[in-house]
Structures are given as C-alpha cells and as structure tokens.
Amino acid sequence: MQEKKQTAMNRRNFLRAFGGASTTAVAAVTLSPGEAQAYDPGEEETRARYRETEHVKAFYRVNGYETLKK
C-alpha cells in the first residue's frame, strides 16, 4: 500500500490548528499584565433600599414571621 501525502488541510488538521491558535491567543491575553480598574458603584447603588413599611409588616404578620422573633 502506498501512503498518501496530505498536502491539503483536511478537517481534522484544520481543527487541530484552530484549537492550538485559539489556546495560544487566550493564554496571551490572560498572561499579559494589565492595569486593574476598580468598579465605582456610585451613590445610587450604595444607598439603603429596604424600608419596613406597614405593608411589609403586614406581610410578616400574615406569614407568621413574628412568631420567629425572640
């Protein structure tokens, strides 16, 4: 039997080359040091939102949460 030389890129070789290239690209991006950016949530996201209003108290009372208080 004669062995066929693969001159054209078949699907398996294409996927192997593509996988290697993508892994290298991800590693290059991951390993490159960059300056970290801090997230500033702003005043709108850090303000208190929970208020124990009358309808919240009624919800707790109806669902039996008051019995859990000690």
Side-chain angles (χ1 to χ4, degrees):
M1 283 189 157
Q2 289 183 345
E3 289 187 27
K4 267 188 175 177
K5 287 187 177 181
Q6 292 183 345
T7 56
M9 183 176 275
N10 61 11
R11 183 172 55 182
R12 181 173 288 175
N13 288 337
F14 172 75
L15 292 174
R16 186 179 300 147
F18 182 72
S22 63
T23 303
T24 304
V26 168
V29 169
T30 305
L31 296 178
S32 64
E35 190 173 326
Q37 299 292 324
Y39 174 70
D40 182 19
E43 193 171 313
E44 182 66 25
E45 291 184 25
T46 55
R47 65 186 174 108
R49 289 187 172 90
Y50 179 78
R51 294 187 186 109
E52 196 168 334
T53 59
E54 290 303 316
H55 82 277
V56 171
K57 291 177 185 177
F59 175 82
Y60 290 158
R61 187 176 57 253
V62 168
N63 289 297
Y65 291 116
E66 285 189 356
T67 59
L68 297 176
K69 290 183 182 179
K70 290 184 180 183

